[in-house]
Each structure stands twice: as structure tokens, then as C-alpha cells.
Amino acid sequence: MSPPTPFTPIICIVDFHHARGPEVETWFGVPPNHDPAVANDWPLLPFMALADGAHTSTEDFSYFSLRYAGDDNSSASGSMKEASGIIGKGARSLFGISCTRQIDANELIDRPPEVTRSTVQKAVVVIAESPEGFGMLRERLSVVTKAWFAQRDFTDQDILQRFQESLPMTLAHAAEERDRYLGISLRELIHEYKYLTLVLFKCCLLQPKMLFFGSHCERVCMMQFAFISLIPGLIRNLQDCADPQFNSYEETHVMPTSLRTSERSSLLSYMGLPLQIFGKGSLFGPYTPLQQLDMLADHGTKSYVVGSTNPLLLQQKDRYSDILINLDDQTTNISSTSLRTALNLTTPDRRWIDFLTQAVNDTWDESNPERPKQMGYAGSEEFIRLQFEEYTLALLSSIKYRQFVEKHKDDPKALLSEVDGDPAGEFGNDWIDAWMRTENYRLFNKFTDSHLFDIVEPRHPCAGGLTIEDVQRRLATQVAELHLDERWQTSRDTITKNFSEGQKKVSSAFNNLWADIEVMREAQRKRHEEQKAAAAASGAISPTASVSSGGWGSSKPAPRGPDWSQAQASVQAASSRAGAYLSSWGSWASEKRKTGWGRSASGQTQSPPPADSNRPSTTTVAELAKEERKAASKEEGNKEVVAPPASRVPEETPKGKKGESKGPAIENADSDEGGSPGPLKQTHEEATFAEEKSVWNE
């Protein structure tokens, strides 16, 4: 069969009409009076070019696939051919990229009358045969569209005409470049998704219904192209992805019979690559509008990889997806139970993706995420692609060896001695069983040799059981994912701020409390001074009441307040009273020395006091102070004094009666007629010490 005629890239302008919605305005690179949208049945082209939510950004890009009817001259439209099951000669998939911008309507030099809104939104669309050169084409399309809008005159379209004429040469040059230029950076992909990168890669091979969602259209599309590019050679073989009825790969492909090991492309082709995940019954739509949901729900559509920016699709995610990848909140939701079981990674799988993630993280550069630090090879884009290529080749070789072992299980000599057990099991038995039921496995098994394990060793790149190094690596990765340094810095700042504020509040509360205590103490001090002055005044008027209420001879101690200031005042008052009391005894002894111990002031001899005399009664504080002043004005007498009679045992008088206390009363010491107290027995210091001890004992 002769190869199809190459498709010449074309350009169109899509405008958003205020009444009719998105519509194609004009075409470049097509014959006059020819509308490719009508000839190929592209009614959804305007909706694909102007993505939902594109008006929220200054510039946005959309990527989509289109069904090309073929090169025949049949007058039947694409929809009629599809309905009748006829596929024209050279029918295949085309790919479009659109750049959407908007401008204020008031800035236009010549504002058309049909422009009724405040902004004008248009998209410049390029349609080509392959998405290989879209990485380079995107940059040129952005510059051209921006320059066209800067003219502020949409009737001047000369720049678009010249751009269309240069497209064949641009895309031919881009075809020589590697497919790493399409899609987001694989370094960013692994750095962001880590082990989920391998999970989603293996999910693509199982051909489920995959739905990518995000508010930014270009990122949604680039994420899908990134995963597709991980399958070696697939980006150059997407001729059947735009329509589930396309099956040209199986119809035209020939099984390779020779191998040139020096050529990478020959090796990949001999090993059955690329795996055709977009064959009959499959669809690839990087951006899929809501108007295309009917094709997704069609019975003939078994699997697809599509993207959407409309949140309404999230409300029916269980109907339209087996797995939903939400790029906005970075979550992956697997609604199919069997798919979730098959996608569980084995220990070798996890070890392999951890090694790849570590290589990216060790060379990560925040200022330039697409390139490793110091421009090394480890962790680069080429390094990542070769690792996935090695993984895929080992997988295909292990599958072929499993089939060989099952076929020759009765002949042990036919098995490879250097291979232990079943190497395919290290990729996951559940996943292997699910993959062997897919359409791309059927094509792989149909067009490959049964002894691929003789070319590539049937062994997982990271084969082996769980080791302590795996546990340590996994723990280190999980700890790194926690971002403890960043969280601790945030927590430390928060704690410091709260501690500072709390310290200020506690300090303020403590100062207020201390001020209140000082006010209370000052009030209590003034109150005690007033009480003390009132007590002194009442004692001067009524000594008996003073003695009975607060003197040393009272039967009950004076009540004390619960606070320390009152206790301190009470101790000071007691000390003053004790000093005054001792001074009164000194004054009394001095008077007795001058008048004689056996005579009164009148010279008459008194009878000796009775032996059972009691201690003198206590005076008031005012009288004690008066006596102290009187004693200080007199000359100091002999240091030897008679001990107070309170310490003697009471004795009977010669008449047999109990004598009354004849000790010197301080208030009447000058006229005391008591008898001689007897010989001197104690010094003044000893008497003072004994009296203080007796007072405190009481």
C-alpha cells in the first residue's frame, strides 16, 4: 500500500461571537472556497480552539486531535463516511494547537459593528500531521499571535499568511529533534509526582479511561503528552488516536525479521515498540470539550486519555473515568477496584522509581528545574527517558520468557540457567494479568518474536527482595516529603510570636496584680495605724480595759488578722511592751536602792512581804513609756537588783494568813511600803533574761 500524501500545515482564525459563540472566521493555506471544517466534519473545532476558562488568562494554549477524512475525492462528508463505516484512503489523525488572546475593544483602530462586548477574544490555530514539532511551534505561534494583536487591526492578516507559508520548513526541522521537547519537563513530573509517575505510566499501558482535569488548559495537555512520551516511539505513531474506528497500525504494520543492534530504532522496532495504546476502540484528546462527551460515552470507545478544564465533568467522574488525575489539588482518584489492585507497585518497582526520584532530587535546581545542577547527565531528561526505555524492554522480555517457560515447563533443559524463577512476577502478577487482556498487548504479541529474551535480559532493573537499604531509602523519602524543616520554621516563628505576646500579657497581668496587692497593703497599713492610734487613745483613758483586752495578763491573746502586715505590727507592739515592762522593773529597783530595801520613803520599817507574793500587774503602754522616761532621768544605781518576787513560791505570814502581793506597783513606786526583799541573788542581766523567758513562756 502506498503511503498517504503528506498533509500541508494550515492555519485558521477562531473568533468568539457574542451571539453565535465560537466560530471559524477564515483559513490560510487552503484552496479558495474550500472549508476543511466542512470537508472533514470538524464542527467541534471552534470549541477545541477556545477552551473553557481561556478568558481568565491573557494567553492560553490548547492542544487537540482531529479526524482527517483522507485524500480521496469522494463527495461524502466525514460524518457520512463514519456512519457507513467507510474510511477514506489515507484517513488518519491530525493535531491542532491554538493560541488564545484577548484585547480591550476600545483599543481597536477600526472597531467592527458586530463587536458589542468590552473585549475581543480570538484564537490562531495551526493544524499539522504530527505533534512532534509542537514544542518549537508553540514559541513561534505565541510571538506571531502577540504581534497580530499588537496591530490593533484584525483586518490586517498579512503576518498570519507569511507564518503559514513558513510552517512546512519549521515542522520539518522540528521533526529532526527528539520528542523530549513536547510535554512538561520530565524532571518536574517526577519531582512533583514521585512514585505516582510509574503508577500512571503502567496505568496508560492498561488502557483504562483516564481523565486529566485542571483549570489551566495548557498544563492539562502537556501532562498527557509527557506520559505518552515515556513510551518509546509512541509520539511519532499517533495516526490512529483521533477516532476509535482507526486501526491503520494493525492493517499496515509488518513484523520485523531482522535486527541491527547498532541502531536504536531497529532494536525498539524488533522488541515491539511502540506499544499501540491508541488503536481500535481508543481515543486521545489532550483537550476535550463537553460537546465531545457523546464520543466518550459511545459503545465503541473502550479506552481513552483525555483532558478537560470544565468542572462540570467532575460531577460525573465515575461515569466518564476509571482514574481521575486532578492537577489543581494534585490528587489521583481510582474508581475501578480491579485497576487499583493492578496498579500496586512491587518492591522492585518501588526501588526503581525511588532511585529515579532520588537522582532528580539530588540534582534539583529551583532556579532552572528543567536542567540538573552542574549540567550533569544523571537526572537529566535523556537520563530519565533511557531509564523508562530500559524498564519497558525488561518488561517485554520478561513477558516473553514467562510464555516460553509455560510452553516448555516439561523440559527443564530448555530454560535459562542464569534466570531464577519468574522474572515477570517482579513487575506485579496482577498488573501482568490485566495487561495481557489489553488491545496493545495483543498487537505486541502478534508482531514480535517469541525469543525476545535472547536480545534483552529478562530481569527487572532493580530485581531482588526487600532490603534494609530499601526501608532506609523509603523512610528518607517520606521524611523529605514531610518538609519538616519548612514546617518547623513556620512553627518556630508562630511559637515565638505567641510566646512573645503571651509574655506581654502575663507581665501586664502580674504588674496589675502586684499593684492591686500594694494598694491593699497600703490600705491595711493605714487601717492598722488608725486602729493602733485608737487603741492607744482608749488605753490612756481606761487602763484596765487596755490591760484586759491586750495586756500581758490577759487570758486570751488578741485576735490576729490573716495578713502578714498585721502579724508584723503585732510582733512590733509585743516587743515594745516587753521593753517597757523590763524598764519598769529597772526603775522600781533603782527607787528601792535609794530609799533602802527595808524602809519606805517616810523612814518607817515595813514588814517583810509575804512569801507567796505574786508578780506585779502589767501597766498600759502609755504608763510604761512614762515610767521609762522617769527612770532615764535618774542616776543609774547599783547593777545588782533583786529578782522579781513572781518567781518565788508563796509562803504563809507569821499570823498564818496568805499574804497579798506586796511587789512594787509601777504606778505607785514612790510610796511603796513593802518590806525588805532580802539578800541580792541575781545580776541585772540574769534577771532580765529570766523575765524575758518567763514572758515568752506565758
Side-chain angles (χ1 to χ4, degrees):
M1 181 182 295
S2 61
T5 305
F7 180 82
T8 303
I10 58 178
I11 291 178
C12 71
I13 299 175
V14 176
D15 175 60
F16 186 85
H17 193 273
H18 69 282
R20 298 187 296 270
E23 60 182 6
V24 178
E25 199 173 74
T26 183
W27 289 91
F28 300 92
V30 299
N33 301 323
H34 177 71
D35 189 351
V38 176
N40 296 280
D41 192 19
W42 295 341
L44 301 182
L45 173 61
F47 299 95
M48 295 177 178
L50 289 175
D52 295 330
H55 62 280
T56 60
S57 57
T58 304
E59 182 183 63
D60 199 6
F61 292 86
S62 174
Y63 300 78
F64 48 89
S65 60
L66 294 170
R67 183 185 188 279
Y68 183 50
D71 304 326
D72 59 342
N73 298 322
S74 174
S75 59
S77 64
S79 59
M80 295 177 59
K81 294 177 183 179
E82 182 178 357
S84 60
I86 301 174
I87 298 179
K89 177 182 177 182
R92 57 192 182 274
S93 301
L94 300 180
F95 298 88
I97 174 176
S98 70
C99 178
T100 304
R101 296 186 69 92
Q102 54 188 346
I103 187 175
D104 193 335
N106 296 325
E107 297 181 5
L108 296 177
I109 297 176
D110 184 13
R111 180 172 178 173
E114 62 268 14
V115 176
T116 59
R117 294 193 175 188
S118 59
T119 59
V120 177
Q121 186 180 24
K122 293 181 180 292
V124 178
V125 184
V126 176
I127 300 176
E129 191 172 10
S130 173
E132 293 180 65
F134 278 9
M136 181 183 298
L137 182 60
R138 177 199 179 278
E139 303 301 328
R140 296 195 60 187
L141 178 60
S142 175
V143 173
V144 170
T145 306
K146 185 177 181 180
W148 184 50
F149 270 74
Q151 296 177 162
R152 297 184 299 164
D153 183 9
F154 292 130
T155 60
D156 185 1
Q157 302 173 349
D158 183 61
I159 187 175
L160 299 180
Q161 182 65 43
R162 295 198 304 268
F163 177 54
Q164 188 276 329
E165 294 172 357
S166 66
L167 284 179
M169 184 179 298
T170 301
L171 295 178
H173 178 70
E176 300 176 0
E177 301 291 334
R178 292 186 179 273
D179 51 11
R180 65 175 179 270
Y181 294 102
L182 187 61
I184 68 170
S185 169
L186 296 183
R187 286 175 51 81
E188 297 181 46
L189 179 66
I190 294 179
H191 183 75
E192 181 177 351
Y193 283 90
K194 300 178 178 60
Y195 75 94
L196 285 177
T197 306
L198 181 59
V199 173
L200 296 178
F201 170 76
K202 298 180 73 172
C203 182
C204 290
L205 297 181
L206 295 182
Q207 294 182 266
K209 296 180 179 180
M210 297 184 67
L211 173 60
F212 288 80
F213 172 80
S215 57
H216 188 43
C217 182
E218 183 180 18
R219 180 169 176 80
V220 172
C221 299
M222 289 293 96
M223 185 68 69
Q224 298 171 67
F225 277 116
F227 280 108
I228 290 175
S229 66
L230 291 177
I231 302 176
L234 182 59
I235 201 71
R236 294 186 175 95
N237 293 271
L238 294 175
Q239 64 271 17
D240 294 337
C241 71
D243 194 314
Q245 294 185 357
F246 286 169
N247 194 27
S248 63
Y249 178 83
E250 183 177 8
E251 294 173 354
T252 60
H253 187 69
V254 179
M255 179 178 174
T257 57
S258 61
L259 170 64
R260 293 186 296 273
T261 56
S262 59
E263 294 184 8
R264 175 173 174 266
S265 59
S266 177
L267 174 63
L268 297 180
S269 177
Y270 189 83
M271 293 294 296
L273 294 175
L275 297 174
Q276 285 295 327
I277 62 174
F278 300 117
K280 188 175 181 59
S282 299
L283 175 68
F284 175 46
Y287 174 70
T288 303
L290 293 181
Q291 291 78 2
Q292 203 174 0
L293 291 182
D294 292 341
M295 181 178 290
L296 301 183
D298 188 78
H299 180 71
T301 305
K302 305 299 182 181
S303 66
Y304 48 75
V305 177
V306 296
S308 176
T309 59
N310 197 316
L312 295 177
L313 201 59
L314 296 179
Q315 302 176 4
Q316 304 183 30
K317 58 183 180 181
D318 293 337
R319 177 184 179 185
Y320 291 104
S321 67
D322 294 327
I323 177 172
L324 171 64
I325 300 93
N326 193 323
L327 305 184
D328 289 345
D329 54 13
Q330 296 184 356
T331 58
T332 302
N333 181 25
I334 304 176
S335 56
S336 174
T337 305
S338 59
L339 181 62
R340 186 184 302 110
T341 302
L343 292 179
N344 289 329
L345 298 182
T346 62
T347 298
D349 279 347
R350 191 59 187 264
R351 184 186 298 123
W352 181 82
I353 192 61
D354 287 345
F355 159 75
L356 201 56
T357 304
Q358 187 66 31
V360 172
N361 292 337
D362 291 344
T363 59
W364 186 255
D365 186 2
E366 289 291 347
S367 60
N368 188 9
E370 296 184 0
R371 294 183 179 274
K373 290 187 299 186
Q374 301 177 354
M375 301 300 176
Y377 173 73
S380 62
E381 294 277 317
E382 190 66 22
F383 172 80
I384 296 173
R385 292 191 184 278
L386 289 179
Q387 296 300 318
F388 272 93
E389 181 179 304
E390 179 188 9
Y391 181 90
T392 306
L393 293 177
L395 169 64
L396 302 180
S397 178
S398 300
I399 293 296
K400 287 294 184 177
Y401 184 72
R402 167 183 278 194
Q403 296 176 348
F404 179 80
V405 170
E406 292 176 354
K407 184 177 180 180
H408 299 83
K409 57 183 179 181
D410 297 332
D411 186 9
K413 295 181 179 180
L415 305 181
L416 299 179
S417 59
E418 63 272 13
V419 178
D420 296 331
D422 181 13
E426 295 181 337
F427 295 90
N429 289 322
D430 292 334
W431 186 88
I432 295 295
D433 294 340
W435 182 56
M436 295 179 70
R437 295 191 296 268
T438 63
E439 184 69 15
N440 73 89
Y441 170 79
R442 184 184 67 82
L443 296 177
F444 158 76
N445 195 43
K446 178 180 179 181
F447 294 106
T448 53
D449 188 83
S450 61
H451 286 68
L452 293 182
F453 53 86
D454 291 334
I455 307 300
V456 177
E457 181 182 7
R459 185 176 183 272
H460 195 288
C462 293
L466 184 65
T467 62
I468 187 62
E469 288 79 7
D470 298 329
V471 177
Q472 293 175 348
R473 188 188 310 107
R474 190 145 330 152
L475 289 176
T477 303
Q478 292 176 354
V479 170
E481 291 175 359
L482 294 177
H483 302 287
L484 295 180
D485 294 339
E486 300 175 3
R487 295 185 180 183
W488 169 243
Q489 180 65 28
T490 304
S491 301
R492 181 170 55 186
D493 295 341
T494 304
I495 292 174
T496 302
K497 180 181 179 181
N498 294 338
F499 180 78
S500 178
E501 295 178 355
Q503 186 178 16
K504 292 179 181 179
K505 293 180 181 179
V506 171
S507 178
S508 176
F510 182 78
N511 292 336
N512 295 337
L513 178 62
W514 187 256
D516 295 341
I517 293 175
E518 290 295 330
V519 172
M520 294 176 60
R521 291 181 61 182
E522 183 66 20
Q524 291 178 356
R525 185 184 66 79
K526 291 181 179 180
R527 185 167 60 253
H528 286 308
E529 288 180 354
E530 294 175 357
Q531 292 177 356
K532 183 177 179 181
S538 62
I541 297 173
S542 177
T544 306
S546 177
V547 171
S548 62
S549 62
W552 291 103
S554 60
S555 60
K556 294 183 180 180
R560 301 181 181 182
D563 56 340
W564 288 102
S565 59
Q566 183 177 356
Q568 185 177 5
S570 300
V571 172
Q572 293 178 354
S575 301
S576 301
R577 293 173 184 173
Y581 181 76
L582 295 176
S583 298
S584 67
W585 278 102
S587 300
W588 175 79
S590 178
E591 289 294 328
K592 286 299 181 179
R593 181 176 176 277
K594 291 180 180 180
T595 58
W597 295 102
R599 297 184 299 274
S600 63
S602 60
Q604 297 180 354
T605 304
Q606 287 185 330
S607 59
D612 58 347
S613 62
N614 296 325
R615 60 186 297 180
S617 60
T618 305
T619 62
T620 62
V621 174
E623 291 175 331
L624 289 176
K626 179 180 178 182
E627 291 298 332
E628 184 178 5
R629 289 194 298 271
K630 289 173 62 177
S633 64
K634 297 180 180 181
E635 183 179 358
E636 187 72 26
N638 193 346
K639 294 183 179 181
E640 295 181 353
V641 295
V642 178
S647 62
R648 298 179 181 178
V649 180
E651 298 179 356
E652 296 182 357
T653 59
K655 296 181 180 182
K657 296 180 181 180
K658 183 179 294 185
E660 297 179 357
S661 174
K662 298 297 181 178
I666 296 178
E667 64 271 15
N668 195 21
D670 294 338
S671 60
D672 189 9
E673 296 182 355
S676 176
L680 187 63
K681 294 182 179 181
Q682 288 180 324
T683 63
H684 178 68
E685 290 80 4
E686 293 174 345
T688 302
F689 176 78
E691 183 61 20
E692 290 180 353
K693 181 177 180 182
S694 176
V695 170
W696 286 109
N697 289 335
E698 292 179 4

